[in-house]
Amino acid sequence: MDMIIHSTFLPHDDAEASLAFYRDALGFEVRKQVEYGGMHWNTVGPPGQPDVNIVLHPPGADPGITEDERRTIAEMMAKGTYASIMLATKDLEGTFERVQASGAEVVQEPTDQAWGARDCAFRDPAGNMVRVQELR
């Protein structure tokens, strides 16, 4: 099988704040910035991995979503229960210190989990859960 995971999507409610988190706190590259119909998409990804992308998008961009669904999405984003992503690094402590220093909301400091992983967690400016696991 010759297939990769190329892009994943996370919603934002503030394109500039979201971009600052993924670019400045996590160190991702900015790959695309798209304006369309008064909305803004940013595509970012880790340096050295041009085939791995996160598309930060406005949550109500899909024309098939009803106003009730948009409201539900906004409520879930505000609670931090709508979307998440898991990243991985060999330098968990350094990553945690850098992201924490950016002012990001810390959900969990680096912790050894009962299932064998060591990870930490943040919320991005839109409320998305961003877990970072240590590569061993």
Side-chain angles (χ1 to χ4, degrees):
M1 184 169 93
D2 184 20
M3 187 178 298
I4 64 170
I5 297 174
H6 182 265
S7 298
T8 188
F9 291 73
L10 289 175
H12 71 68
D13 54 6
D14 181 332
E16 288 303 316
S18 180
L19 182 62
F21 176 80
Y22 286 91
R23 180 192 58 211
D24 303 338
L26 289 175
F28 284 2
E29 298 174 338
V30 179
R31 308 237 168 101
K32 289 182 185 175
Q33 294 188 296
V34 176
E35 296 283 342
Y36 180 77
M39 294 182 276
H40 191 95
W41 285 258
N42 290 308
T43 301
V44 298
Q49 299 178 51
D51 293 334
V52 178
N53 300 285
I54 300 172
V55 181
L56 306 167
H57 67 93
D62 186 336
I65 294 177
T66 68
E67 284 305 314
D68 283 346
E69 291 168 331
R70 282 189 179 90
R71 189 173 27 260
T72 298
I73 290 169
E75 290 169 0
M76 292 179 72
M77 286 175 63
K79 291 171 42 179
T81 57
Y82 183 67
S84 65
I85 191 166
M86 180 168 288
L87 307 172
T89 181
K90 291 181 180 176
D91 182 14
L92 183 66
E93 303 297 331
T95 299
F96 177 79
E97 290 175 15
R98 188 178 64 249
V99 176
Q100 182 183 38
S102 76
E105 180 185 348
V106 175
V107 176
Q108 174 202 299
E109 294 186 5
T111 302
D112 291 318
Q113 302 293 349
W115 57 87
R118 180 170 176 77
D119 66 0
C120 63
F122 301 91
R123 289 205 195 285
D124 76 7
N128 301 308
M129 178 68 73
V130 179
R131 297 197 73 84
V132 183
Q133 185 172 345
E134 184 175 56
L135 289 173
R136 296 180 179 176

